[in-house]
Structure formats: structure tokens, C-alpha cells
Amino acid sequence: MENVSAVTSFILIEYIEMEDLKYLYFIVFILLYILILCLNLLLIGVIYFEKSLHEPMYIFVCNLAVNGMYGSSILIPSFLGQLLSRSHEISLGLCLAQIYCLHTYAIAEFSVLAVMGYDRFIAICHPLHYHIVMSPQKVIGLIALSWMYSFIAFGSYFILTAKLTFCSRIIPKVYCANFLLVRLSCFDTSVHSIVGLIAIVFLAVPQFLMVMFSYTQILRVCLLASRDSRVKALQTCTPHLLAFVNYSIGCFFEIIQSRFNMSHFPYGFRMFMSLYFLIFPPLLNPTIYGISVQNIRVRILKICTAKK
């Protein structure tokens, strides 16, 4: 194994099937990117400038929007560049950077959604203590924890990937993914695969359990509450539940596609599964909160009517 020539760049072969319609894809995805940025910046701007929205729930929504722009900005500019490239080649350094950023986006999204679930639990189950429990210091701490957990926790596992030597160049995807890159290593990676599965459990399961616990308690309280209280609880929880389910579907697609052979599925379906968690949450989250949350919707309508 000492004579192995290490690979320093990779080819993202999924772009090859997009060659005939690459300009159409380019237009569609640049419009999607602009729309994602506009929707999320509008949401952040409304929350920032409206002092009445300076509440924990809306600050967490803001954080979700920031992470959505982070995730889409990692993927789409690179995606657009690869569409116009002839070789569809990416260097090892850029591939590793893309893996780190995309995975930290994914973990941060789950972490923020978990914190938002906890926020709804306190608001509905302990309304009299809400402003004491969700103090400004606590909110800042939870936001910092959401981001630090993703960057540090994944970074600890990512070191194993960064130390590998690679002998194959073909990545069957439109972006670099950790598990696919590990499979290209010159050496046996069964240990990395096991550690990867354990990492998925520790990086995603705690957040999932937090959301499940929060809504179990919310459901218990709602069953004992009046009809009006149940309706109010449903209204305040629906946007978060939609965002959580939407993102969970995207993560499920990504895990399935990374771990199993999907070559027998149509190309369009593989692309849809591959890009779902990076396109739809950043696109739909600001839409969900902008339409479903009355305080946000009213202020967005004021901005739109004022411009007319």
C-alpha cells in the first residue's frame, strides 16, 4: 500500500446527466437561490425592525432563517459553478470544506428546531413562568449551544474523514457527502462506517427526542385544556411542526440515498431526494412562518401595501 497514489480531486458524475439542460437548470436554481435569500432576509428584517417581535419564539425563527441561508449558500453557488464546468471536478480541500459546512448546517437545523420545540413546551405547559425560564440570557445560551454543538460535535467526527487517503475519484452525487467520500478511501473503512452510524445517533437523536418530549407534554396539557386553549396551542405549534416534519423528510431522503444503492431509481427522483433537505426547508420555512404566524403576516402585509 505504500505505492498508492493519493487522489487530490474528485469528479461529481451526477452533473453529466444534466449536460443537455444545464442552462435551464442554471436559471431555475439561480432563481431559487434568489428567492430563498429574499424570503429569509424579509423574515429576518421584519423580526429585527418590529420591536413587538423581539420575543424568544421569533428570535429562534430568525436563527432558523439564518441557518437556511447558510445551507443554501453552501450548495447553490457551487452547484451553479459545476453546471457550467466541463470537468465537474472538485478539489479535495473544497470537497472536505463542503462536507463540513453541509453537515454542520444539517445538525444546526435539527438543533434549532429542537430548541424551538422546547420553547413551545414552556410557553404552553408553563405559561406563567415563560418569561422567567426563557430569559434573554437563556435564549442567547440556547442559540449559541445550537451552533456550537453542530460545529464541535461534527468536527470531532470529521477529523477521521480528513485524515483518510483516497484512491478513487468518482462521487455519484452533485455535492460531496461524508459517507460517499469515506467509501473512496484506499483502506478498509468499516470502522468509519460504524462510527458514522453512531455519530448520526448522537448528532440527531437527542434533538429528535427533545421535540418528541415537548409535544408529548403539549398534547397532555391540551387534552386537559378548554377548546379555545387547544385551538390556540395548535395555531402556535403548527408552523414549527410543519418545519420539523419537512426537514425530517429531507434528512430521511439523504440518509437513505447515502447508505443504499439508488442507481435503479430514475435520475430526477435521485436529484429530488439529494437536494430536498438543502432546498425545501430554506424555501418553505420563511413561507410557513410568514403565512401561519399572524404577528409576522400582518407586518409583512403592511410592508407590501406600504410599497404600493
Side-chain angles (χ1 to χ4, degrees), residues 19-242:
E19 283 290 335
D20 294 339
L21 298 172
K22 66 179 180 180
Y23 294 111
L24 176 61
Y25 283 118
F26 186 90
I27 293 170
V28 169
F29 276 90
I30 199 169
L31 291 175
L32 275 174
Y33 185 49
I34 292 170
L35 183 60
I36 286 170
L37 292 180
C38 289
L39 288 174
N40 284 282
L41 287 172
L42 175 62
L43 183 64
I44 292 169
V46 168
I47 293 171
Y48 178 80
F49 288 108
E50 289 290 338
K51 291 185 177 180
S52 61
L53 298 179
H54 292 181
E55 296 287 334
M57 171 184 167
Y58 304 113
I59 294 172
F60 293 137
V61 170
C62 231
N63 206 40
L64 196 66
V66 170
N67 193 53
M69 290 192 294
Y70 168 57
S72 58
S73 295
I74 296 160
L75 170 71
I76 298 180
S78 172
F79 182 88
L80 296 174
Q82 287 290 346
L83 278 175
L84 301 181
S85 169
R86 292 184 178 181
S87 64
H88 309 304
E89 192 171 355
I90 184 170
S91 68
L92 173 59
L94 285 177
C95 188
L96 289 172
Q98 192 175 67
I99 287 172
Y100 182 76
C101 292
L102 288 177
H103 284 74
T104 51
Y105 152 75
I107 299 163
E109 189 83 354
F110 245 142
S111 298
V112 173
L113 288 168
V115 167
M116 293 173 75
Y118 173 73
D119 173 72
R120 293 301 82 205
F121 158 65
I122 299 297
I124 294 171
C125 299
H126 305 283
L128 298 179
H129 300 95
Y130 178 73
H131 290 289
I132 297 174
V133 176
M134 299 304 292
S135 63
Q137 294 80 9
K138 182 77 169 285
V139 171
I140 293 171
L142 288 171
I143 290 173
L145 179 63
S146 301
W147 287 91
M148 289 174 62
Y149 179 75
S150 62
F151 282 97
I152 295 174
F154 180 72
S156 302
Y157 166 69
F158 180 68
I159 292 171
L160 296 175
T161 302
K163 287 182 176 180
L164 290 174
T165 302
F166 305 98
C167 292
S168 299
R169 301 186 67 202
I170 305 301
I171 296 179
K173 214 173 182 69
V174 292
Y175 56 84
C176 291
N178 189 76
F179 182 71
L180 295 178
L181 185 63
V182 168
R183 288 168 62 179
L184 303 181
S185 174
C186 304
F187 308 99
D188 178 60
T189 58
S190 55
V191 173
H192 288 76
S193 297
I194 295 170
V195 173
L197 288 172
I198 295 172
I200 290 173
V201 172
F202 280 99
L203 294 174
V205 171
Q207 295 93 317
F208 183 81
L209 292 177
M210 172 63 76
V211 174
M212 292 299 101
F213 169 79
S214 297
Y215 278 100
T216 300
Q217 297 302 311
I218 289 171
L219 180 62
R220 181 181 61 81
V221 169
C222 287
L223 291 175
L224 301 174
S226 64
R227 184 178 181 277
D228 290 341
S229 297
R230 287 198 295 270
V231 171
K232 187 176 180 180
L234 180 63
Q235 288 175 341
T236 191
C237 290
T238 297
H240 176 259
L241 276 173
L242 290 174

Side-chain angles (χ1 to χ4, degrees), residues 274-298:
S274 181
L275 297 175
Y276 189 101
F277 88 110
L278 289 160
I279 298 294
F280 285 93
L283 186 64
L284 295 180
N285 286 346
T287 307
I288 290 169
Y289 279 95
I291 293 174
S292 302
V293 181
Q294 184 178 4
N295 290 342
I296 297 176
R297 183 175 69 248
V298 168

